[in-house]
Amino acid sequence: DAKTTQPPSMDCAEGRAANLPCNHSTISGNEYVYWYRQIHSQGPQYIIHGLKNNETNEMASLIITEDRKSSTLILPHATLRDTAVYYCIVRVATSSGSARQLTFGSGTQLTVLP
Amino acid sequence: DTGVSQDPRHKITKRGQNVTFRCDPISEHNRLYWYRQTLGQGPEFLTYFQNEAQLEKSRLLSDRFSAERPKGSFSTLEIQHTEQGDSAMYLCASSYGTARQETQYFGPGTRLLVL
């Protein structure tokens, strides 16, 4: 799986949009971009994933650049409960029984400020 | 609640003791994963089951670790002769669907402290 690079920390004002960047310059054509977050002492929570098109769900939007070398997770109206470590993960989609695990990096600590 | 559940949530043990953790995946999820997370780090993959078959094991899974999923439903992770370095959060995740659409859902984790 391709390696990802994220800033170690970011702050965001409550009610504002939080834009979390991720670089994945070595991504290949069959690799998806996944975002998870982990609130302190809890298990990781799935947010969203995509291949090349922008995606939106009830939690967030995922914007993937045309060359797929970077992406941005957007939380449109951040709340204090969005304070968490956010992980950007690139994972190959394979029909085989192996190589399905997620490889987590260090993530970005997002702090939403009141 | 129909999410992934793990038991116990916390475990304190003495070095050298054996411990066993249980994971109940989301109903009908055929894939189950175990991860380990130490303080300040992201989760690291340990092992993966598809139904009852253990298909992949990380080099992190030493001989003291064993995982089972006997009927393709719940899974157990046992650590024998625990060491202080085993202190960590042990996370379970389950998933289903095609490789392209697979999403792993995590449980709350079991936090292990080895004294």
Side-chain angles (χ1 to χ4, degrees), chain A residues 30 32 34 36 38 40-46 49 51 87 91-106, chain B residues 9 31 33 35 37 40-45 48 50 55-56 89 91 97-109 111:
Chain A
N30 65 343
Y32 281 73
Y34 283 78
Y36 280 77
Q38 189 171 25
H40 183 61
S41 296
Q42 298 182 20
Q45 178 187 23
Y46 167 77
H49 76 283
L51 183 62
Y87 295 101
R91 202 201 75 168
V92 64
T94 173
S95 59
S96 72
S98 63
R100 291 181 173 275
Q101 66 267 28
L102 298 170
T103 302
F104 289 80
S106 300
Chain B
R9 294 291 308 278
R31 302 189 191 99
Y33 302 79
Y35 292 82
Q37 184 174 26
Q41 304 296 317
E44 296 174 292
F45 168 75
Y48 153 59
Q50 182 159 307
L55 296 185
E56 186 118 354
M89 170 87 89
L91 294 157
T98 66
R100 294 183 180 278
Q101 294 300 322
E102 180 183 12
T103 298
Q104 294 180 28
Y105 295 91
F106 284 80
R111 188 171 295 280

Tab-separated table of all heavy atoms in Angstrom, chain A residues 30 32 34 36 38 40-46 49 51 87 91-106, chain B residues 9 31 33 35 37 40-45 48 50 55-56 89 91 97-109 111:
chain	number	residue	atom	x	y	z
A	30	ASN	N	-5.256	1.137	-8.506
A	30	ASN	CA	-6.246	0.297	-7.835
A	30	ASN	C	-6.260	0.504	-6.333
A	30	ASN	O	-6.743	-0.357	-5.591
A	30	ASN	CB	-5.979	-1.173	-8.155
A	30	ASN	CG	-4.657	-1.661	-7.601
A	30	ASN	OD1	-3.798	-0.863	-7.247
A	30	ASN	ND2	-4.488	-2.963	-7.525
A	32	TYR	N	-7.503	2.638	-3.030
A	32	TYR	CA	-8.513	3.529	-2.509
A	32	TYR	C	-7.919	4.389	-1.392
A	32	TYR	O	-7.000	3.971	-0.693
A	32	TYR	CB	-9.681	2.735	-1.930
A	32	TYR	CG	-10.651	2.202	-2.970
A	32	TYR	CD1	-10.289	1.138	-3.792
A	32	TYR	CD2	-11.914	2.756	-3.119
A	32	TYR	CE1	-11.178	0.653	-4.737
A	32	TYR	CE2	-12.804	2.271	-4.061
A	32	TYR	CZ	-12.424	1.230	-4.867
A	32	TYR	OH	-13.302	0.743	-5.806
A	34	TYR	N	-8.902	5.900	2.177
A	34	TYR	CA	-9.831	5.757	3.295
A	34	TYR	C	-9.487	6.804	4.365
A	34	TYR	O	-8.319	7.125	4.581
A	34	TYR	CB	-9.696	4.377	3.952
A	34	TYR	CG	-10.348	3.247	3.204
A	34	TYR	CD1	-9.746	2.679	2.086
A	34	TYR	CD2	-11.557	2.709	3.640
A	34	TYR	CE1	-10.342	1.626	1.412
A	34	TYR	CE2	-12.161	1.650	2.975
A	34	TYR	CZ	-11.550	1.122	1.863
A	34	TYR	OH	-12.146	0.081	1.193
A	36	TYR	N	-10.317	7.424	8.499
A	36	TYR	CA	-10.856	7.012	9.783
A	36	TYR	C	-10.497	8.088	10.800
A	36	TYR	O	-9.554	8.849	10.608
A	36	TYR	CB	-10.236	5.683	10.241
A	36	TYR	CG	-10.814	4.451	9.608
A	36	TYR	CD1	-10.474	4.094	8.301
A	36	TYR	CD2	-11.701	3.634	10.303
A	36	TYR	CE1	-11.014	2.959	7.712
A	36	TYR	CE2	-12.247	2.491	9.720
A	36	TYR	CZ	-11.891	2.165	8.433
A	36	TYR	OH	-12.428	1.031	7.856
A	38	GLN	N	-10.171	8.633	15.279
A	38	GLN	CA	-10.134	7.946	16.557
A	38	GLN	C	-10.211	8.986	17.669
A	38	GLN	O	-9.274	9.774	17.839
A	38	GLN	CB	-8.871	7.090	16.696
A	38	GLN	CG	-8.890	6.188	17.916
A	38	GLN	CD	-7.751	5.199	17.912
A	38	GLN	OE1	-6.708	5.421	17.310
A	38	GLN	NE2	-7.943	4.073	18.599
A	40	HIS	N	-10.274	9.899	21.561
A	40	HIS	CA	-9.426	9.386	22.634
A	40	HIS	C	-10.029	8.157	23.309
A	40	HIS	O	-11.167	8.165	23.755
A	40	HIS	CB	-9.187	10.489	23.661
A	40	HIS	CG	-8.266	10.080	24.762
A	40	HIS	ND1	-6.959	9.705	24.524
A	40	HIS	CD2	-8.460	9.952	26.088
A	40	HIS	CE1	-6.395	9.396	25.671
A	40	HIS	NE2	-7.277	9.538	26.638
A	41	SER	N	-9.202	7.070	23.342
A	41	SER	CA	-9.542	5.831	24.047
A	41	SER	C	-10.697	5.057	23.427
A	41	SER	O	-11.247	4.166	24.068
A	41	SER	CB	-9.863	6.105	25.523
A	41	SER	OG	-8.725	6.588	26.169
A	42	GLN	N	-11.074	5.391	22.196
A	42	GLN	CA	-12.098	4.623	21.504
A	42	GLN	C	-11.496	3.917	20.297
A	42	GLN	O	-10.370	4.211	19.896
A	42	GLN	CB	-13.237	5.533	21.054
A	42	GLN	CG	-13.974	6.219	22.191
A	42	GLN	CD	-15.126	7.065	21.698
A	42	GLN	OE1	-15.630	6.883	20.588
A	42	GLN	NE2	-15.560	8.006	22.518
A	43	GLY	N	-12.238	2.998	19.697
A	43	GLY	CA	-11.794	2.358	18.474
A	43	GLY	C	-11.913	3.308	17.297
A	43	GLY	O	-12.709	4.253	17.324
A	44	PRO	N	-11.142	3.102	16.244
A	44	PRO	CA	-11.251	3.954	15.058
A	44	PRO	C	-12.658	3.896	14.462
A	44	PRO	O	-13.311	2.852	14.473
A	44	PRO	CB	-10.219	3.359	14.092
A	44	PRO	CG	-9.222	2.664	14.974
A	44	PRO	CD	-10.046	2.135	16.115
A	45	GLN	N	-13.081	5.032	13.930
A	45	GLN	CA	-14.404	5.151	13.324
A	45	GLN	C	-14.251	5.451	11.845
A	45	GLN	O	-13.540	6.388	11.456
A	45	GLN	CB	-15.178	6.277	14.006
A	45	GLN	CG	-16.564	6.531	13.425
A	45	GLN	CD	-17.218	7.769	14.011
A	45	GLN	OE1	-16.545	8.672	14.515
A	45	GLN	NE2	-18.534	7.822	13.950
A	46	TYR	N	-14.890	4.669	11.011
A	46	TYR	CA	-14.862	4.889	9.561
A	46	TYR	C	-15.553	6.206	9.227
A	46	TYR	O	-16.614	6.523	9.793
A	46	TYR	CB	-15.563	3.741	8.848
A	46	TYR	CG	-15.876	4.013	7.391
A	46	TYR	CD1	-14.877	3.951	6.423
A	46	TYR	CD2	-17.161	4.367	6.998
A	46	TYR	CE1	-15.169	4.202	5.094
A	46	TYR	CE2	-17.453	4.618	5.673
A	46	TYR	CZ	-16.457	4.533	4.723
A	46	TYR	OH	-16.744	4.792	3.410
A	49	HIS	N	-14.545	6.820	2.109
A	49	HIS	CA	-13.452	6.374	1.239
A	49	HIS	C	-13.818	6.654	-0.215
A	49	HIS	O	-15.002	6.852	-0.543
A	49	HIS	CB	-13.112	4.899	1.458
A	49	HIS	CG	-14.073	3.914	0.862
A	49	HIS	ND1	-15.300	3.629	1.441
A	49	HIS	CD2	-13.982	3.124	-0.238
A	49	HIS	CE1	-15.918	2.711	0.722
A	49	HIS	NE2	-15.156	2.385	-0.304
A	51	LEU	N	-12.101	6.387	-4.632
A	51	LEU	CA	-11.075	5.951	-5.573
A	51	LEU	C	-10.528	7.137	-6.369
A	51	LEU	O	-9.350	7.433	-6.316
A	51	LEU	CB	-11.653	4.910	-6.527
A	51	LEU	CG	-10.666	4.307	-7.544
A	51	LEU	CD1	-9.552	3.569	-6.828
A	51	LEU	CD2	-11.405	3.389	-8.512
A	87	TYR	N	-6.974	9.667	10.476
A	87	TYR	CA	-6.032	8.849	9.715
A	87	TYR	C	-6.436	8.783	8.243
A	87	TYR	O	-7.587	8.454	7.930
A	87	TYR	CB	-5.999	7.424	10.260
A	87	TYR	CG	-5.473	7.281	11.665
A	87	TYR	CD1	-6.343	7.130	12.735
A	87	TYR	CD2	-4.102	7.263	11.917
A	87	TYR	CE1	-5.876	6.972	14.018
A	87	TYR	CE2	-3.626	7.108	13.207
A	87	TYR	CZ	-4.513	6.960	14.250
A	87	TYR	OH	-4.034	6.807	15.522
A	91	ARG	N	-5.277	1.942	0.528
A	91	ARG	CA	-5.340	0.496	0.556
A	91	ARG	C	-5.726	-0.055	-0.800
A	91	ARG	O	-6.655	0.425	-1.423
A	91	ARG	CB	-6.342	0.019	1.602
A	91	ARG	CG	-6.092	-1.403	2.053
A	91	ARG	CD	-7.312	-1.998	2.666
A	91	ARG	NE	-8.283	-2.337	1.630
A	91	ARG	CZ	-9.358	-3.078	1.851
A	91	ARG	NH1	-9.615	-3.522	3.047
A	91	ARG	NH2	-10.194	-3.346	0.881
A	92	VAL	N	-5.017	-1.092	-1.213
A	92	VAL	CA	-5.294	-1.696	-2.501
A	92	VAL	C	-6.572	-2.516	-2.417
A	92	VAL	O	-6.852	-3.140	-1.392
A	92	VAL	CB	-4.099	-2.560	-2.952
A	92	VAL	CG1	-3.888	-3.735	-2.008
A	92	VAL	CG2	-4.284	-3.037	-4.375
A	93	ALA	N	-7.347	-2.461	-3.463
A	93	ALA	CA	-8.549	-3.287	-3.555
A	93	ALA	C	-8.158	-4.549	-4.295
A	93	ALA	O	-7.743	-4.500	-5.443
A	93	ALA	CB	-9.643	-2.548	-4.308
A	94	THR	N	-8.250	-5.688	-3.618
A	94	THR	CA	-7.863	-6.937	-4.240
A	94	THR	C	-8.923	-7.982	-3.995
A	94	THR	O	-9.557	-7.995	-2.950
A	94	THR	CB	-6.512	-7.432	-3.704
A	94	THR	OG1	-6.249	-8.734	-4.216
A	94	THR	CG2	-6.507	-7.496	-2.196
A	95	SER	N	-9.096	-8.841	-4.930
A	95	SER	CA	-10.083	-9.899	-4.759
A	95	SER	C	-9.473	-11.111	-4.072
A	95	SER	O	-10.152	-12.045	-3.733
A	95	SER	CB	-10.658	-10.316	-6.110
A	95	SER	OG	-9.611	-10.760	-6.952
A	96	SER	N	-8.159	-11.080	-3.825
A	96	SER	CA	-7.526	-12.217	-3.168
A	96	SER	C	-7.837	-12.195	-1.677
A	96	SER	O	-8.357	-11.223	-1.149
A	96	SER	CB	-6.019	-12.183	-3.377
A	96	SER	OG	-5.446	-11.149	-2.621
A	97	GLY	N	-7.473	-13.247	-0.987
A	97	GLY	CA	-7.777	-13.321	0.438
A	97	GLY	C	-6.778	-12.602	1.312
A	97	GLY	O	-6.957	-12.512	2.514
A	98	SER	N	-5.724	-12.065	0.730
A	98	SER	CA	-4.678	-11.449	1.549
A	98	SER	C	-4.614	-9.950	1.331
A	98	SER	O	-5.326	-9.405	0.510
A	98	SER	CB	-3.331	-12.074	1.221
A	98	SER	OG	-3.000	-11.801	-0.119
A	99	ALA	N	-3.752	-9.311	2.069
A	99	ALA	CA	-3.456	-7.882	1.932
A	99	ALA	C	-4.694	-7.023	2.045
A	99	ALA	O	-4.880	-6.087	1.279
A	99	ALA	CB	-2.735	-7.607	0.617
A	100	ARG	N	-5.562	-7.321	3.009
A	100	ARG	CA	-6.749	-6.510	3.206
A	100	ARG	C	-6.623	-5.574	4.408
A	100	ARG	O	-7.521	-4.793	4.681
A	100	ARG	CB	-7.964	-7.413	3.436
A	100	ARG	CG	-8.376	-8.203	2.212
A	100	ARG	CD	-9.588	-9.041	2.524
A	100	ARG	NE	-10.124	-9.694	1.354
A	100	ARG	CZ	-10.980	-9.139	0.518
A	100	ARG	NH1	-11.395	-7.913	0.737
A	100	ARG	NH2	-11.430	-9.802	-0.529
A	101	GLN	N	-5.532	-5.686	5.132
A	101	GLN	CA	-5.458	-4.903	6.363
A	101	GLN	C	-5.256	-3.436	6.053
A	101	GLN	O	-4.785	-3.055	4.996
A	101	GLN	CB	-4.313	-5.395	7.257
A	101	GLN	CG	-2.935	-5.188	6.684
A	101	GLN	CD	-2.444	-6.403	5.913
A	101	GLN	OE1	-3.243	-7.154	5.371
A	101	GLN	NE2	-1.160	-6.594	5.890
A	102	LEU	N	-5.640	-2.604	7.014
A	102	LEU	CA	-5.409	-1.174	6.934
A	102	LEU	C	-4.057	-0.875	7.575
A	102	LEU	O	-3.740	-1.393	8.634
A	102	LEU	CB	-6.513	-0.421	7.673
A	102	LEU	CG	-7.935	-0.611	7.124
A	102	LEU	CD1	-8.959	-0.032	8.077
A	102	LEU	CD2	-8.062	0.040	5.755
A	103	THR	N	-3.278	-0.039	6.924
A	103	THR	CA	-1.981	0.379	7.462
A	103	THR	C	-2.113	1.821	7.931
A	103	THR	O	-2.212	2.738	7.104
A	103	THR	CB	-0.877	0.250	6.407
A	103	THR	OG1	-0.823	-1.112	5.960
A	103	THR	CG2	0.462	0.647	7.001
A	104	PHE	N	-2.136	1.990	9.228
A	104	PHE	CA	-2.322	3.308	9.828
A	104	PHE	C	-0.971	4.002	9.985
A	104	PHE	O	0.020	3.378	10.367
A	104	PHE	CB	-2.950	3.195	11.215
A	104	PHE	CG	-4.399	2.784	11.218
A	104	PHE	CD1	-4.755	1.452	11.064
A	104	PHE	CD2	-5.406	3.723	11.400
A	104	PHE	CE1	-6.084	1.058	11.070
A	104	PHE	CE2	-6.743	3.353	11.412
A	104	PHE	CZ	-7.081	2.013	11.247
A	105	GLY	N	-0.939	5.298	9.716
A	105	GLY	CA	0.234	6.119	10.036
A	105	GLY	C	0.018	6.773	11.385
A	105	GLY	O	-0.680	6.229	12.244
A	106	SER	N	0.595	7.957	11.540
A	106	SER	CA	0.465	8.681	12.808
A	106	SER	C	-0.758	9.583	12.847
A	106	SER	O	-1.175	10.014	13.913
A	106	SER	CB	1.719	9.518	13.060
A	106	SER	OG	2.847	8.692	13.122
B	9	ARG	N	-13.263	-4.925	28.385
B	9	ARG	CA	-12.806	-3.619	27.911
B	9	ARG	C	-11.452	-3.259	28.506
B	9	ARG	O	-10.657	-2.566	27.870
B	9	ARG	CB	-13.817	-2.541	28.279
B	9	ARG	CG	-15.160	-2.695	27.569
B	9	ARG	CD	-15.037	-2.402	26.073
B	9	ARG	NE	-14.399	-1.122	25.822
B	9	ARG	CZ	-15.024	0.036	25.862
B	9	ARG	NH1	-16.312	0.083	26.107
B	9	ARG	NH2	-14.357	1.147	25.614
B	31	ARG	N	-15.551	-11.208	7.482
B	31	ARG	CA	-14.125	-10.941	7.700
B	31	ARG	C	-13.926	-10.324	9.088
B	31	ARG	O	-14.729	-9.501	9.534
B	31	ARG	CB	-13.572	-10.017	6.628
B	31	ARG	CG	-13.739	-10.576	5.230
B	31	ARG	CD	-13.012	-9.763	4.201
B	31	ARG	NE	-13.416	-10.177	2.868
B	31	ARG	CZ	-14.309	-9.540	2.122
B	31	ARG	NH1	-14.877	-8.442	2.582
B	31	ARG	NH2	-14.631	-9.992	0.938
B	33	TYR	N	-10.716	-8.877	11.775
B	33	TYR	CA	-9.317	-8.454	11.907
B	33	TYR	C	-8.995	-8.174	13.373
B	33	TYR	O	-9.851	-7.694	14.118
B	33	TYR	CB	-9.072	-7.148	11.138
B	33	TYR	CG	-9.382	-7.196	9.667
B	33	TYR	CD1	-10.683	-7.104	9.210
B	33	TYR	CD2	-8.357	-7.305	8.735
B	33	TYR	CE1	-10.973	-7.138	7.854
B	33	TYR	CE2	-8.635	-7.329	7.379
B	33	TYR	CZ	-9.942	-7.245	6.945
B	33	TYR	OH	-10.226	-7.271	5.600
B	35	TYR	N	-6.060	-5.935	15.530
B	35	TYR	CA	-5.003	-4.941	15.477
B	35	TYR	C	-4.526	-4.682	16.906
B	35	TYR	O	-5.235	-4.914	17.876
B	35	TYR	CB	-5.520	-3.606	14.908
B	35	TYR	CG	-5.903	-3.613	13.448
B	35	TYR	CD1	-7.147	-4.083	13.037
B	35	TYR	CD2	-5.044	-3.110	12.482
B	35	TYR	CE1	-7.522	-4.069	11.700
B	35	TYR	CE2	-5.409	-3.086	11.136
B	35	TYR	CZ	-6.644	-3.568	10.763
B	35	TYR	OH	-7.004	-3.543	9.423
B	37	GLN	N	-2.616	-1.514	19.249
B	37	GLN	CA	-2.262	-0.100	19.254
B	37	GLN	C	-1.564	0.252	20.556
B	37	GLN	O	-2.127	0.096	21.633
B	37	GLN	CB	-3.510	0.775	19.073
B	37	GLN	CG	-3.205	2.250	18.962
B	37	GLN	CD	-4.439	3.075	18.646
B	37	GLN	OE1	-5.557	2.687	18.959
B	37	GLN	NE2	-4.251	4.231	18.015
B	40	GLY	N	0.220	6.467	21.536
B	40	GLY	CA	0.778	7.458	20.621
B	40	GLY	C	0.987	6.972	19.200
B	40	GLY	O	1.438	7.738	18.344
B	41	GLN	N	0.661	5.716	18.945
B	41	GLN	CA	0.842	5.146	17.607
B	41	GLN	C	-0.509	4.784	17.002
B	41	GLN	O	-1.502	4.615	17.711
B	41	GLN	CB	1.708	3.884	17.679
B	41	GLN	CG	3.060	4.088	18.332
B	41	GLN	CD	3.923	5.041	17.548
B	41	GLN	OE1	3.997	4.970	16.312
B	41	GLN	NE2	4.571	5.961	18.237
B	42	GLY	N	-0.526	4.630	15.675
B	42	GLY	CA	-1.730	4.128	15.020
B	42	GLY	C	-1.836	2.621	15.203
B	42	GLY	O	-0.857	1.950	15.544
B	43	PRO	N	-3.012	2.065	14.986
B	43	PRO	CA	-3.172	0.613	15.099
B	43	PRO	C	-2.295	-0.139	14.105
B	43	PRO	O	-2.061	0.330	12.993
B	43	PRO	CB	-4.659	0.400	14.768
B	43	PRO	CG	-5.314	1.705	15.067
B	43	PRO	CD	-4.297	2.742	14.723
B	44	GLU	N	-1.820	-1.320	14.541
B	44	GLU	CA	-0.993	-2.176	13.692
B	44	GLU	C	-1.695	-3.523	13.508
B	44	GLU	O	-2.181	-4.111	14.478
B	44	GLU	CB	0.372	-2.412	14.329
B	44	GLU	CG	1.227	-1.169	14.474
B	44	GLU	CD	2.497	-1.460	15.235
B	44	GLU	OE1	2.403	-1.752	16.456
B	44	GLU	OE2	3.589	-1.429	14.636
B	45	PHE	N	-1.701	-4.002	12.292
B	45	PHE	CA	-2.376	-5.243	11.946
B	45	PHE	C	-1.700	-6.436	12.604
B	45	PHE	O	-0.468	-6.547	12.636
B	45	PHE	CB	-2.346	-5.415	10.423
B	45	PHE	CG	-2.753	-6.777	9.933
B	45	PHE	CD1	-4.086	-7.155	9.940
B	45	PHE	CD2	-1.812	-7.668	9.456
B	45	PHE	CE1	-4.468	-8.396	9.473
B	45	PHE	CE2	-2.176	-8.909	8.986
B	45	PHE	CZ	-3.509	-9.281	9.001
B	48	TYR	N	-5.927	-11.795	10.358
B	48	TYR	CA	-7.156	-11.610	9.590
B	48	TYR	C	-7.805	-12.966	9.334
B	48	TYR	O	-7.113	-13.944	9.005
B	48	TYR	CB	-6.793	-10.902	8.286
B	48	TYR	CG	-7.684	-11.135	7.094
B	48	TYR	CD1	-9.034	-10.818	7.127
B	48	TYR	CD2	-7.157	-11.660	5.911
B	48	TYR	CE1	-9.838	-11.018	6.024
B	48	TYR	CE2	-7.956	-11.858	4.798
B	48	TYR	CZ	-9.288	-11.535	4.859
B	48	TYR	OH	-10.085	-11.732	3.761
B	50	GLN	N	-11.120	-14.873	7.276
B	50	GLN	CA	-12.273	-14.852	6.391
B	50	GLN	C	-13.081	-16.080	6.749
B	50	GLN	O	-12.611	-17.212	6.578
B	50	GLN	CB	-11.868	-14.860	4.921
B	50	GLN	CG	-13.065	-14.785	3.991
B	50	GLN	CD	-12.703	-14.279	2.611
B	50	GLN	OE1	-12.089	-13.226	2.469
B	50	GLN	NE2	-13.068	-15.030	1.596
B	55	LEU	N	-6.257	-16.234	7.396
B	55	LEU	CA	-5.595	-16.107	6.102
B	55	LEU	C	-4.300	-15.315	6.142
B	55	LEU	O	-3.493	-15.423	5.218
B	55	LEU	CB	-6.546	-15.476	5.079
B	55	LEU	CG	-7.796	-16.285	4.730
B	55	LEU	CD1	-8.583	-15.603	3.616
B	55	LEU	CD2	-7.417	-17.709	4.315
B	56	GLU	N	-4.131	-14.503	7.153
B	56	GLU	CA	-2.926	-13.674	7.184
B	56	GLU	C	-2.533	-13.423	8.632
B	56	GLU	O	-3.378	-13.194	9.494
B	56	GLU	CB	-3.195	-12.338	6.484
B	56	GLU	CG	-1.983	-11.454	6.326
B	56	GLU	CD	-1.639	-11.176	4.880
B	56	GLU	OE1	-2.266	-11.753	3.991
B	56	GLU	OE2	-0.741	-10.363	4.656
B	89	MET	N	-3.598	-1.485	23.463
B	89	MET	CA	-5.020	-1.631	23.178
B	89	MET	C	-5.141	-2.659	22.050
B	89	MET	O	-4.455	-2.537	21.030
B	89	MET	CB	-5.604	-0.296	22.705
B	89	MET	CG	-7.022	-0.403	22.163
B	89	MET	SD	-8.244	-0.249	23.444
B	89	MET	CE	-8.465	1.529	23.418
B	91	LEU	N	-7.532	-4.173	19.274
B	91	LEU	CA	-8.730	-3.776	18.546
B	91	LEU	C	-9.168	-4.869	17.594
B	91	LEU	O	-8.348	-5.523	16.956
B	91	LEU	CB	-8.456	-2.505	17.732
B	91	LEU	CG	-8.178	-1.240	18.538
B	91	LEU	CD1	-7.398	-0.237	17.706
B	91	LEU	CD2	-9.488	-0.625	19.003
B	97	GLY	N	-18.478	-7.731	2.081
B	97	GLY	CA	-18.590	-7.080	0.788
B	97	GLY	C	-17.391	-7.344	-0.098
B	97	GLY	O	-16.434	-8.006	0.273
B	98	THR	N	-17.460	-6.795	-1.288
B	98	THR	CA	-16.383	-6.979	-2.258
B	98	THR	C	-15.155	-6.201	-1.830
B	98	THR	O	-15.239	-5.304	-0.989
B	98	THR	CB	-16.819	-6.496	-3.648
B	98	THR	OG1	-17.018	-5.078	-3.581
B	98	THR	CG2	-18.112	-7.170	-4.094
B	99	ALA	N	-14.034	-6.529	-2.426
B	99	ALA	CA	-12.793	-5.849	-2.083
B	99	ALA	C	-12.902	-4.355	-2.346
B	99	ALA	O	-12.368	-3.539	-1.605
B	99	ALA	CB	-11.650	-6.442	-2.891
B	100	ARG	N	-13.640	-3.980	-3.356
B	100	ARG	CA	-13.745	-2.565	-3.690
B	100	ARG	C	-14.607	-1.797	-2.700
B	100	ARG	O	-14.452	-0.607	-2.529
B	100	ARG	CB	-14.316	-2.414	-5.101
B	100	ARG	CG	-13.386	-2.949	-6.170
B	100	ARG	CD	-13.947	-2.724	-7.561
B	100	ARG	NE	-13.049	-3.246	-8.564
B	100	ARG	CZ	-11.991	-2.614	-9.030
B	100	ARG	NH1	-11.698	-1.411	-8.562
B	100	ARG	NH2	-11.219	-3.157	-9.932
B	101	GLN	N	-15.550	-2.470	-2.108
B	101	GLN	CA	-16.497	-1.787	-1.227
B	101	GLN	C	-16.294	-2.118	0.235
B	101	GLN	O	-17.084	-1.709	1.080
B	101	GLN	CB	-17.930	-2.140	-1.642
B	101	GLN	CG	-18.304	-1.621	-3.011
B	101	GLN	CD	-18.198	-0.106	-3.094
B	101	GLN	OE1	-18.518	0.608	-2.155
B	101	GLN	NE2	-17.703	0.382	-4.218
B	102	GLU	N	-15.257	-2.862	0.548
B	102	GLU	CA	-15.079	-3.296	1.926
B	102	GLU	C	-14.783	-2.130	2.856
B	102	GLU	O	-13.930	-1.298	2.575
B	102	GLU	CB	-13.926	-4.296	2.017
B	102	GLU	CG	-13.689	-4.794	3.435
B	102	GLU	CD	-12.505	-5.722	3.526
B	102	GLU	OE1	-11.742	-5.800	2.557
B	102	GLU	OE2	-12.330	-6.350	4.574
B	103	THR	N	-15.485	-2.091	3.967
B	103	THR	CA	-15.245	-1.110	5.018
B	103	THR	C	-15.114	-1.855	6.331
B	103	THR	O	-15.967	-2.668	6.664
B	103	THR	CB	-16.402	-0.105	5.113
B	103	THR	OG1	-16.498	0.622	3.882
B	103	THR	CG2	-16.162	0.868	6.252
B	104	GLN	N	-14.045	-1.587	7.039
B	104	GLN	CA	-13.835	-2.232	8.329
B	104	GLN	C	-14.430	-1.376	9.434
B	104	GLN	O	-14.175	-0.167	9.502
B	104	GLN	CB	-12.341	-2.447	8.576
B	104	GLN	CG	-11.729	-3.439	7.593
B	104	GLN	CD	-10.256	-3.669	7.818
B	104	GLN	OE1	-9.759	-3.537	8.937
B	104	GLN	NE2	-9.553	-4.032	6.760
B	105	TYR	N	-15.194	-2.024	10.301
B	105	TYR	CA	-15.810	-1.362	11.448
B	105	TYR	C	-15.150	-1.898	12.710
B	105	TYR	O	-15.092	-3.112	12.907
B	105	TYR	CB	-17.315	-1.606	11.469
B	105	TYR	CG	-18.014	-0.987	10.279
B	105	TYR	CD1	-18.207	-1.716	9.110
B	105	TYR	CD2	-18.438	0.333	10.305
B	105	TYR	CE1	-18.828	-1.151	8.002
B	105	TYR	CE2	-19.057	0.916	9.209
B	105	TYR	CZ	-19.245	0.168	8.060
B	105	TYR	OH	-19.845	0.744	6.967
B	106	PHE	N	-14.696	-0.963	13.528
B	106	PHE	CA	-13.915	-1.333	14.699
B	106	PHE	C	-14.760	-1.398	15.956
B	106	PHE	O	-15.739	-0.663	16.116
B	106	PHE	CB	-12.788	-0.310	14.926
B	106	PHE	CG	-11.642	-0.462	13.978
B	106	PHE	CD1	-11.707	0.043	12.698
B	106	PHE	CD2	-10.488	-1.122	14.370
B	106	PHE	CE1	-10.637	-0.094	11.809
B	106	PHE	CE2	-9.422	-1.267	13.500
B	106	PHE	CZ	-9.501	-0.764	12.220
B	107	GLY	N	-14.325	-2.279	16.865
B	107	GLY	CA	-14.905	-2.311	18.186
B	107	GLY	C	-14.217	-1.306	19.100
B	107	GLY	O	-13.297	-0.608	18.679
B	108	PRO	N	-14.655	-1.250	20.371
B	108	PRO	CA	-14.098	-0.264	21.304
B	108	PRO	C	-12.715	-0.619	21.822
B	108	PRO	O	-12.035	0.231	22.400
B	108	PRO	CB	-15.109	-0.270	22.445
B	108	PRO	CG	-15.694	-1.647	22.407
B	108	PRO	CD	-15.735	-2.032	20.965
B	109	GLY	N	-12.283	-1.863	21.609
B	109	GLY	CA	-10.962	-2.266	22.041
B	109	GLY	C	-10.922	-2.852	23.442
B	109	GLY	O	-11.826	-2.632	24.260
B	111	ARG	N	-8.184	-2.839	26.498
B	111	ARG	CA	-6.917	-2.244	26.946
B	111	ARG	C	-6.259	-3.190	27.927
B	111	ARG	O	-6.834	-3.515	28.968
B	111	ARG	CB	-7.149	-0.885	27.586
B	111	ARG	CG	-5.859	-0.146	27.901
B	111	ARG	CD	-6.119	1.277	28.340
B	111	ARG	NE	-6.691	2.113	27.306
B	111	ARG	CZ	-6.007	2.688	26.331
B	111	ARG	NH1	-4.710	2.490	26.226
B	111	ARG	NH2	-6.627	3.449	25.437
